[in-house]
Amino acid sequence: MSLRKKIVALCVGNTLLVTLTVGAIMLFQMNRLTGEMAQVNNEFAAIAGEMSALSMNGQIRNRMQELTDSNARLANAKFEELENQVMLLADVTKQIYENPTEYTPREIPLPDAANDGELSVQLLHSESVTDLTAPEVEKQLGLLGNLQETLYEVNNHFENMASDYVAIEPGLLIQADYISGSKFDENGNILPYEADTRPWYQGAKESGKPYFTPVTRDAHTAGTGIMCGVPVYVHNQFIGVAGAGMYLSNIEQLVADIRLGSAGYACIINQNGQVIFSPKENGELMIDTVNQTDLRQAENEVLARLVRSVLRGDSGITMMELDGGMYYVAYAPMEKVGWGFLTVLGEEEVLAPTNELLGEMDAHADNSLARISQTIHVSLVTLEVVLIFFCLFGVILAFLLASHVIKPIQILTERVSTLNGDNLEFSWEYKTNDETTVLAGAFCAMVEKMKEYIANITTITAEKERIGAELNVATKIQADMLPKIFPAFPERTEFDVYAQMDPAKEVGGDFYDFFMIDDDHLAIVIADVSSKGVPAALFMVIAKTLIKNYALNQESLGDVFYQVNNQLCEGNEEGMFVTAWMGVLTVSTGTFEYVNAGHNPQLLMNNESYDWIQAKPGFVLAGLEGIPYVSDTIQLQHGARIFLYTDGVSEAQNTEHELFGEERLLESLARNGKLELQQMLAAVRSDIDTFVGEAEQFDDITMLVFEYK
């Protein structure tokens, strides 16, 4: 038999055996590969779910704690501001009584029903005071009369204040409020007022320090309020109490505005463990006006421990059962009044992004497995055709073909089998140019998609929560701090003032202020904090409050900036600083005293044109402790105007990176400087916008204009 016949006979004899053997091997390997891929997909789903849940849990807990701490501090700041105003009243009262010869006796008006609804100051007294003309009583009344302007201004400039007052031991009280008509009985007689029986008086007297009363329902409105009392000592002798009452509508609105997911909420617990503000109408954290439940003694022991902890001044976050479900509860103290701030979010809302991710992963895995199965099916059909075709060329060619096809599949199966929870890396370097490469590519793509889903959901969720919490706090702070009602002093015809601020971000570091120090002195302030965003807004709150408080108690502007600078330097670990410019007008004479702390020079129109106000240079505030500041004085003519601004005006840039500059500012004031104040600032801002064009605003733009009529 010829060699040709032997080869043909061998190939024909082995064709069926080779085809069946190789086909069985391929089918076994493909089924094994499919099973391994399904198992690895399930392991990946479990690993991704665990990683996503851990990541989400950590991010949500951090954001909840940040939101809770921020809102607790914001609410606490309201009470600190109330206490500061009352301490101011107490200090002024002490100064008057320690130096009685320096004050002229002044008469205090009695309540007048015609003033009902308007802020007015009136005299009240206890039933034990029967003769207001007695020498000692007249002496006390003459001294108390010097508090009228202070009481009026404190009430007028403090948002949500109901009334402020000073009561002295003989039973006399001077008070500023809006309810003069409520001071009379049905016969029109003035009702006696027993101040020494009131909680704010007794609490301050007994404790010898500032005292906050429990929350009470206002007798004349539907709102709730709280009162603060500060004892007054003259030469270490107690003489009375200064106090004020504040409506809590802004605190209630702060709680109501907090939104976490679809069902998250916030509430406030008072010092007695009772819920006083909550959007819940039922459940363990609703407002219980009937039973006044003390949650420190609640049957829910976890809730009771949490309430006791926050009222001790602790903060944190825990997971607990509440109203039949599992919730995350973050808590932070409000130290000034001894309350606690709670934020509540359901467990299901924390896990929602993870469940959504797993659903997407399952869908992607199903699609990938379907493509893999289709590819395996095509591979088997192709292999069978190739085997049948090449079996005609001999057994050697058949084995070579089988080896060429099976080997990459075996390697792919082995690499898939090595994947587990600790090893999520897969690579394929073999270029077989057939369906095996397609299978490996599809598997690589599936692994990379899973990694991308986990990374993306973590990053997006963290950034969204951070931005929401920061902007909510910062926006509320700045909206509450800057004067925004114009005309600012409608009852004063000697002067007028108007201001505006446009932050470069949602919140800014610039601020302005204007206020009456007394009836004959007006203060104006403009300043710029060194950074931007939420840190600058918080530093601005501190600087603005300190400047105003010291201005109301210091005689020299240099002393005001000296004290403010020292206060800001304390604990300024972030190295922030403030440039500031402040002036005080003596309304009756036109004398204008001013001081500069590193701020750009301001502009004065005393005749027909604007020119720079020369000032002794001063160092920035919060830069270095102990720096002295020296003020200057100029004489304003009637019709004079002073234009204040921050460097966001002169340093505004266009698309060519050119600065608006001082010359363009002078040109704008030359055109618009004699318009009505509001129109004047609008025209200057229009000139800036025209110059800037499409360029992005990179700094806060703040302007204030004052006119001495």
Side-chain angles (χ1 to χ4, degrees):
M1 183 181 293
S2 66
L3 181 59
R4 177 188 293 270
K5 290 181 179 179
K6 289 182 179 180
I7 294 174
V8 171
L10 181 61
C11 289
V12 171
N14 288 294
T15 297
L16 183 59
L17 178 62
V18 170
T19 301
L20 293 176
T21 301
V22 174
I25 293 173
M26 289 299 301
L27 181 62
F28 172 77
Q29 294 289 357
M30 291 297 181
N31 288 334
R32 181 184 174 192
L33 176 61
T34 302
E36 291 287 348
M37 288 183 173
Q39 181 178 355
V40 170
N41 178 69
N42 292 333
E43 292 178 357
F44 275 164
I47 294 169
E50 181 179 355
M51 292 176 63
S52 178
L54 290 173
S55 176
M56 288 299 163
N57 184 282
Q59 293 291 339
I60 294 298
R61 289 170 68 95
N62 290 338
R63 295 306 171 220
M64 281 186 67
Q65 190 63 61
E66 291 176 1
L67 178 64
T68 305
D69 290 342
S70 298
N71 281 284
R73 288 194 297 270
L74 180 61
N76 196 62
K78 300 293 183 182
F79 298 110
E80 288 182 343
E81 188 176 0
L82 175 63
E83 183 185 85
N84 288 338
Q85 297 301 321
V86 178
M87 292 184 70
L88 171 63
L89 286 176
D91 289 340
V92 174
T93 303
K94 179 180 179 181
Q95 181 179 355
I96 291 173
Y97 271 81
E98 285 184 342
N99 305 280
T101 59
E102 297 180 9
Y103 293 88
T104 302
R106 296 183 59 186
E107 183 178 356
I108 308 172
L110 294 173
D112 186 352
N115 293 330
D116 200 35
E118 298 181 359
L119 180 60
S120 62
V121 179
Q122 59 264 314
L123 170 67
L124 297 173
H125 59 83
S126 70
E127 196 169 11
S128 62
V129 178
T130 59
D131 184 5
L132 295 178
T133 62
E136 182 58 29
V137 174
E138 281 192 334
K139 177 181 177 182
Q140 298 287 347
L141 292 177
L143 291 175
L144 286 176
N146 289 279
L147 289 169
Q148 294 180 71
E149 286 78 12
T150 303
L151 288 166
Y152 186 95
E153 292 301 324
V154 167
N155 196 312
N156 190 45
H157 290 91
F158 187 93
E159 185 180 10
N160 289 324
M161 180 173 286
S163 63
D164 56 329
Y165 32 79
V166 175
I168 60 173
E169 279 292 89
L172 301 176
L173 179 136
I174 181 171
Q175 181 176 36
D177 61 21
Y178 295 84
I179 53 172
S180 298
S182 67
K183 306 295 191 300
F184 301 89
D185 61 18
E186 58 185 9
N187 297 320
N189 298 317
I190 298 176
L191 292 168
Y193 189 93
E194 307 299 335
D196 58 359
T197 66
R198 301 304 172 95
W200 56 267
Y201 189 101
Q202 295 177 342
K205 181 178 180 181
E206 293 173 3
S207 64
K209 60 184 180 180
Y211 172 79
F212 284 88
T213 68
V215 174
T216 59
R217 181 68 60 178
D218 187 70
H220 306 285
T221 68
T224 56
I226 190 171
M227 287 161 282
C228 175
V230 174
V232 179
Y233 293 91
V234 175
H235 303 302
N236 297 322
Q237 180 67 36
F238 175 82
I239 68 163
V241 175
M246 178 182 75
Y247 295 119
L248 297 177
S249 56
N250 54 353
I251 304 297
E252 187 173 9
Q253 190 63 44
L254 172 67
V255 173
D257 286 346
I258 291 178
R259 295 289 184 270
L260 292 174
S262 61
Y265 61 94
C267 66
I268 292 180
I269 310 293
N270 69 8
Q271 70 275 17
N272 297 321
Q274 300 162 347
V275 179
I276 55 174
F277 295 112
S278 173
K280 298 286 287 182
E281 297 180 356
N282 51 59
E284 295 179 69
L285 292 180
M286 72 174 186
I287 301 175
D288 185 1
T289 58
V290 177
N291 299 318
Q292 296 291 310
T293 303
D294 184 352
L295 294 181
R296 294 174 296 181
Q297 309 300 326
E299 295 182 1
N300 186 336
E301 182 56 30
V302 179
L303 176 60
R305 287 198 304 269
L306 183 148
V307 172
R308 291 194 295 267
S309 179
V310 72
L311 295 184
R312 286 195 306 266
D314 299 331
S315 62
I317 186 169
T318 187
M319 188 175 185
M320 61 183 293
E321 183 175 354
L322 198 65
D323 297 332
M326 297 304 296
Y327 290 83
Y328 287 92
V329 181
Y331 55 95
M334 297 165 59
E335 296 90 352
K336 185 56 63 178
V337 289
W339 298 354
F341 196 100
L342 275 58
T343 305
V344 183
L345 181 63
E347 180 186 22
E348 67 278 4
E349 295 198 54
V350 176
L351 298 179
T354 299
N355 295 332
E356 182 179 354
L357 170 64
L358 291 178
E360 293 179 1
M361 291 175 60
D362 289 341
H364 181 76
D366 291 340
N367 291 334
S368 298
L369 288 175
R371 291 197 301 271
I372 291 171
S373 297
Q374 179 66 27
T375 302
I376 291 174
H377 175 72
V378 173
S379 297
L380 288 173
V381 173
T382 302
L383 181 60
E384 290 176 357
V385 173
V386 170
L387 286 175
I388 292 172
F389 178 79
F390 279 100
C391 72
L392 300 175
F393 295 94
V395 175
I396 297 176
L397 184 60
F399 277 108
L400 290 175
L401 179 62
S403 175
H404 174 73
V405 175
I406 294 174
K407 184 177 179 180
I409 296 176
Q410 289 176 328
I411 295 174
L412 178 61
T413 302
E414 291 172 358
R415 292 191 178 183
V416 170
S417 300
T418 61
L419 295 173
N420 54 48
D422 298 325
N423 179 22
L424 301 179
E425 299 297 326
F426 178 84
S427 63
W428 185 257
E429 68 276 8
Y430 293 92
K431 304 297 183 181
T432 60
N433 297 321
D434 58 15
E435 289 80 2
T436 305
T437 300
V438 176
L439 289 173
F443 195 80
C444 288
M446 182 181 70
V447 172
E448 294 303 319
K449 287 291 184 182
M450 291 179 179
K451 294 179 180 178
E452 290 179 9
Y453 283 140
I454 294 173
N456 289 341
I457 196 67
T458 301
T459 302
I460 292 171
T461 302
E463 184 65 14
K464 182 178 179 181
E465 292 292 333
R466 183 191 68 79
I467 293 174
E470 179 177 277
L471 292 183
N472 182 49
V473 176
T475 302
K476 290 179 182 296
I477 290 174
Q478 213 159 41
D480 289 343
M481 291 301 295
L482 296 181
K484 49 187 175 293
I485 298 176
F486 298 99
F489 305 97
E491 74 283 359
R492 301 302 295 260
T493 60
E494 307 98 319
F495 56 84
D496 196 7
V497 63
Y498 185 80
Q500 67 180 52
M501 187 190 83
D502 300 308
K505 296 184 177 181
E506 287 80 356
V507 291
D510 286 4
F511 70 87
Y512 63 84
D513 200 1
F514 45 82
F515 52 90
M516 296 298 299
I517 297 177
D518 54 38
D519 192 55
D520 194 40
H521 291 86
L522 170 69
I524 55 176
V525 183
I526 194 163
D528 184 0
V529 180
S530 57
S531 61
K532 302 292 180 289
V534 172
L538 295 177
F539 203 70
M540 177 269 282
V541 171
I542 300 171
K544 179 180 179 296
T545 302
L546 288 175
I547 289 174
K548 184 171 184 179
N549 286 346
Y550 279 110
L552 293 172
N553 290 279
Q554 299 288 333
E555 296 183 359
S556 168
L557 288 184
D559 291 340
V560 172
F561 272 22
Y562 178 80
Q563 296 294 341
V564 172
N565 176 63
N566 288 342
Q567 286 289 299
L568 291 177
C569 285
E570 293 183 4
N572 185 16
E573 297 179 358
E574 299 301 323
M576 300 179 70
F577 63 86
V578 183
T579 68
W581 195 97
M582 181 178 183
V584 173
L585 170 70
T586 302
V587 179
S588 59
T589 64
T591 300
F592 189 78
E593 181 188 1
Y594 58 94
V595 63
N596 189 358
H599 203 71
N600 42 296
Q602 307 303 298
L603 288 153
L604 166 67
M605 183 190 76
N606 216 4
N607 294 309
E608 293 296 327
S609 62
Y610 284 87
D611 201 357
W612 308 108
I613 300 176
Q614 301 301 317
K616 296 181 178 67
F619 198 55
V620 296
L621 301 179
L624 184 63
E625 190 172 358
I627 294 294
Y629 294 87
V630 180
S631 62
D632 291 282
T633 302
I634 57 176
Q635 182 64 37
L636 298 185
Q637 305 298 325
H638 291 291
R641 290 187 177 185
I642 295 178
F643 177 78
L644 310 182
Y645 68 99
T646 61
D647 57 7
V649 174
S650 58
E651 296 180 3
Q653 295 185 13
N654 59 16
T655 54
E656 302 299 324
H657 302 291
E658 297 175 329
L659 298 180
F660 184 71
E662 297 175 348
E663 291 301 323
R664 290 187 179 89
L665 177 59
L666 283 173
E667 292 173 2
S668 178
L669 291 176
R671 292 190 302 271
N672 310 303
K674 295 183 180 180
L675 298 175
E676 293 295 327
L677 301 190
Q678 184 174 358
Q679 297 175 357
M680 172 184 169
L681 293 192
V684 174
R685 181 57 200 264
S686 177
D687 288 346
I688 295 173
D689 292 340
T690 300
F691 172 78
V692 170
E694 299 297 324
E696 181 180 0
Q697 180 182 337
F698 74 95
D699 198 0
D700 306 334
I701 295 178
T702 305
M703 298 181 289
L704 182 150
V705 61
F706 160 77
E707 180 178 11
Y708 181 51
K709 296 184 177 181

